Amino acid sequence: MAFQPIGLLLAKGYTDSVFWVKLRVKPPQKGAEAVLRIRPTFLDEIRLYEPDPLHPGRWASRVTGDRYPFNQRDRSSISFEFVVYPKAPYTTYYLRMKTTSSALLFIQGLTPRETFQKNLNSNLFQIVFLSVMCWLLFMAAQNYFHSHDRVAAWFVLYQCAYISYDLSVSGYLAPLLPADVSPWADTMTSVAAICIPFCAVLFFRAVYKLYESAAILLRIFTALLVLFPIEVCLIITGHARIALGMNALSVFPILLFLPLMAFTARRENTPSRRVLRIVSLFQTSTLLIFLFPIMGWYGNIKAELTLDAPLFHGMLSAAMMFGILHIRTRRMIESAQHAKLQLELASVQLGMERDQLQKQGRFMAMLTHELKTPLSAVRLILDLKHPSENARQHAIQAVKDMDSVIERCLQSDRLDQAEWKSHRQPCRMEVVWEEIRFGCSSP
C-alpha cells in the first residue's frame, strides 16, 4: 500500500493489523544525534528499521515496547526513544508497530535537549496527577474511617484502580520490573485497564442507589459487571486485544447510563439531584470526546495533549466525585455528632430524673416517718376512755407537728416551682434565735 500522511498521531483503534510508518528525519543544526520520541508507552512492540552504515543497501533493526526490558532501551526514559544519526538532507527510517492495545502512535524527531525538556514536562504532569489522586485517595480513606460509608469504600477502590492504571499505561511501572518479569508488564497493563470500568460500575451503582434511580436502569447497569470475568479469561487465554476492545466498548453504555440514572433519581439526597445531574453530564460529554482517538474514530489530531486527556478527565472527575462524597460524609458526621449529643442529653436527663426519683423516695420515707409518729400518739390517746388533760395536750401537739410537716412540704414545693413570695417584716433577732434554739432542743 502507498504511504499516507498521518501528521503526528496515528489512531487506528483496536485491530490485529500491523502498521508501518515511514519517517524522513533531518539532521539537527547542532550535533549529529537525534531522538525519535514515541508515545504512548503501552504499545507492545515498536521496531525501527534504519540504513545499515556497515552494509550499504541493508537495514539494521532495533526494538522496544512494554514487552521488552527497560534496561535494553536506547535511553533510560519512560517514553520509547530511539537514538539516530540522520544525514543531510534527510534520512529515511521505518517503524513497524504491532500491539494488542489501541493502535495509537505519536512520533517526534527531537534533539537530545528538546527530548529532555519534553520528558521533564511529562514527568511534572505525572507528579501533579499522582499527587492529586493520592491525596484524594487518602482523604476518601479518612472519610471512610470516620463515617464507615460504603460509598466511600467503593471510591477508595476506584482510586486505587485508577492510580494503578496510570502507573501502567504511563510507563512508570517498567523501571521497577526485573528483566525476567518485563514480558508480563503488558498483561499487567491490560488487567489494570479492565479494572477501571469494573470499579466504576461498583462505585456509581452505590451512589445512584442512594438517590433511588430507576430500578431497571440499576439492574442493567449492574449487569455490566459480568464483562469483567469474561475479559479476564480472554486475557489469560491470550486474547488480550479482544478483551481490551470489549472493555473500551463497555465504557459507552456506562457513560450512557450515568445521566439516565441521574435524571430518573426519585429521592433527594446530599448533595442535591441537580448537582449529581450536572456532574454526570460533564463526565459523559468529556470522556466521549477523549474516547474517539482511542477507538480510532478520529485520528486527525496533532496535539500530544490528546494522549494525556483521559488522565485530565480522570483527575477532574475524581475531584468532582470526591467533592460529592466529602459533602455527604460531612453531613453524615454532623448527623452522627448531633445524634450523639442528643443521646448524651437524654442520658443526663435520665440521670437527673433518676436522682429526682431517689430524692422523692427519701422524701416519702422521711414524710412517712414524720407523720406516723404523731399519728400513733393521737391514736393511742383516742383509744383512752378518759384521757387526761396532759394526754389531750400531747394530741394537740401531735396535730400541730403534722400540720408543721405538711406546711414545710408545701413550702418546699413552692420553692421548687419558683412560686415562693417573700414578705419583709421587722423582727427581733434574739426572739428568732430563741425560737430556733427551742425548736432544736425540743424532742
Side-chain angles (χ1 to χ4, degrees):
M1 296 177 61
F3 285 97
Q4 302 292 330
I6 62 169
L8 292 178
L9 180 66
L10 174 70
K12 294 297 181 180
Y14 293 90
T15 174
D16 288 326
S17 300
V18 175
F19 294 93
W20 288 81
V21 179
K22 181 180 179 180
L23 304 174
R24 290 176 177 174
V25 183
K26 297 179 181 180
Q29 294 181 355
K30 295 182 180 180
E33 182 180 315
V35 179
L36 299 180
R37 184 172 180 267
I38 302 169
R39 294 187 67 200
T41 55
F42 54 73
L43 300 173
D44 295 353
E45 180 182 289
I46 304 171
R47 187 173 294 274
L48 172 70
Y49 290 89
E50 59 183 340
D52 190 345
L54 300 179
H55 302 87
R58 295 186 182 181
W59 296 86
S61 68
R62 285 176 281 169
V63 66
T64 187
D66 67 353
R67 292 185 176 181
Y68 296 89
F70 181 80
N71 56 11
Q72 293 181 7
R73 298 182 182 180
D74 286 7
R75 291 164 54 93
S76 298
S77 175
I78 299 301
S79 58
F80 299 136
E81 296 174 3
F82 289 112
V83 177
V84 295
Y85 299 89
K87 305 296 182 181
Y90 61 82
T91 301
T92 301
Y93 299 90
Y94 293 92
L95 286 178
R96 180 186 184 274
M97 179 183 68
K98 174 66 175 176
T99 184
T100 56
S101 57
S102 178
L104 283 173
L105 189 63
F106 182 83
I107 312 168
Q108 287 178 304
L110 306 171
T111 64
R113 184 181 182 86
E114 292 171 338
T115 305
F116 174 80
Q117 187 63 48
K118 288 282 186 180
N119 290 336
L120 180 61
N121 294 340
S122 180
N123 292 334
L124 288 176
F125 168 73
Q126 284 295 327
I127 290 173
V128 173
F129 174 81
L130 290 174
S131 298
V132 173
M133 297 297 280
C134 289
W135 179 80
L136 292 175
L137 173 62
F138 173 77
M139 295 300 295
Q142 190 177 37
N143 285 346
Y144 175 73
F145 177 78
H146 289 297
S147 65
H148 297 285
D149 185 13
R150 185 176 299 179
V151 179
W154 289 126
F155 184 80
V156 169
L157 178 64
Y158 177 75
Q159 282 296 99
C160 290
Y162 212 103
I163 292 173
S164 301
Y165 168 76
D166 173 68
L167 291 174
S168 299
V169 300
S170 299
Y172 289 88
L173 191 62
L176 306 178
L177 297 177
D180 55 344
V181 184
S182 295
W184 290 93
D186 179 57
T187 303
M188 296 169 66
T189 303
S190 299
V191 173
I194 67 174
C195 284
I196 295 297
F198 176 74
C199 295
V201 171
L202 292 175
F203 170 64
F204 286 113
R205 181 186 63 170
V207 171
Y208 286 100
K209 276 186 176 181
L210 301 175
Y211 293 84
E212 295 183 0
S213 298
I216 183 64
L217 294 177
L218 284 172
R219 292 193 189 99
I220 299 174
F221 191 70
T222 305
L224 294 173
L225 295 173
V226 179
L227 296 175
F228 180 73
I230 297 175
E231 292 165 358
V232 172
C233 292
L234 287 172
I235 292 175
I236 294 174
T237 56
H239 298 86
R241 189 198 62 77
I242 299 176
L244 293 173
M246 183 185 300
N247 179 69
L249 289 174
S250 69
V251 176
F252 289 94
I254 292 175
L255 296 178
L256 175 64
F257 275 99
L258 291 183
L260 287 178
M261 291 189 296
F263 281 91
T264 59
R266 298 187 300 272
R267 178 184 177 184
E268 196 65 46
N269 212 313
T270 304
S272 66
R273 289 179 295 179
R274 182 180 179 182
V275 173
L276 187 70
R277 290 164 182 170
I278 294 174
V279 172
S280 65
L281 288 174
F282 168 81
Q283 291 174 324
T284 299
S285 58
T286 54
L287 191 54
L288 278 175
I289 297 173
F290 297 152
L291 281 174
F292 287 165
I294 295 176
M295 299 303 298
W297 295 340
Y298 184 66
N300 190 20
I301 302 174
K302 297 184 178 181
E304 184 181 3
L305 186 63
T306 305
L307 301 177
D308 298 320
L311 300 183
F312 275 111
H313 172 270
M315 184 169 59
L316 293 176
S317 178
M320 296 176 70
M321 294 311 299
F322 173 76
I324 292 176
L325 181 65
H326 182 68
I327 294 173
R328 168 179 165 77
T329 304
R330 188 173 178 180
R331 294 289 177 85
M332 290 179 65
I333 293 175
E334 290 176 354
S335 299
Q337 290 176 345
H338 180 72
K340 183 179 179 181
L341 180 61
Q342 292 297 323
L343 181 62
E344 291 176 352
L345 291 175
S347 178
V348 171
Q349 186 176 3
L350 182 62
M352 294 175 61
E353 291 178 355
R354 189 183 298 112
D355 293 341
Q356 186 69 22
L357 288 175
Q358 291 177 355
K359 290 180 180 179
Q360 289 178 358
R362 290 194 296 269
F363 175 77
M364 291 302 297
M366 180 273 296
L367 183 63
T368 302
H369 175 75
E370 292 287 336
L371 293 178
K372 274 188 175 182
T373 301
L375 281 173
S376 298
V378 172
R379 189 180 298 111
L380 288 173
I381 293 171
L382 291 177
D383 288 341
L384 297 175
K385 293 182 178 180
H386 302 288
S388 63
E389 182 64 24
N390 190 23
R392 283 198 296 272
Q393 290 297 325
H394 274 288
I396 293 172
Q397 184 62 38
V399 172
K400 288 182 179 180
D401 291 341
M402 288 188 289
D403 183 67
S404 176
V405 170
I406 294 172
E407 183 63 25
R408 288 201 303 272
C409 291
L410 291 174
Q411 292 176 0
S412 176
D413 182 66
R414 291 194 190 103
L415 285 173
D416 291 338
Q417 301 296 329
E419 296 179 354
W420 181 268
K421 295 181 179 180
S422 60
H423 299 279
R424 293 183 180 185
Q425 62 183 20
C427 64
R428 297 179 62 85
M429 289 304 299
E430 60 270 17
V431 176
V432 175
W433 173 251
E434 286 297 328
E435 292 177 354
I436 294 174
R437 189 176 67 173
F438 176 77
C440 294
S441 62
S442 62

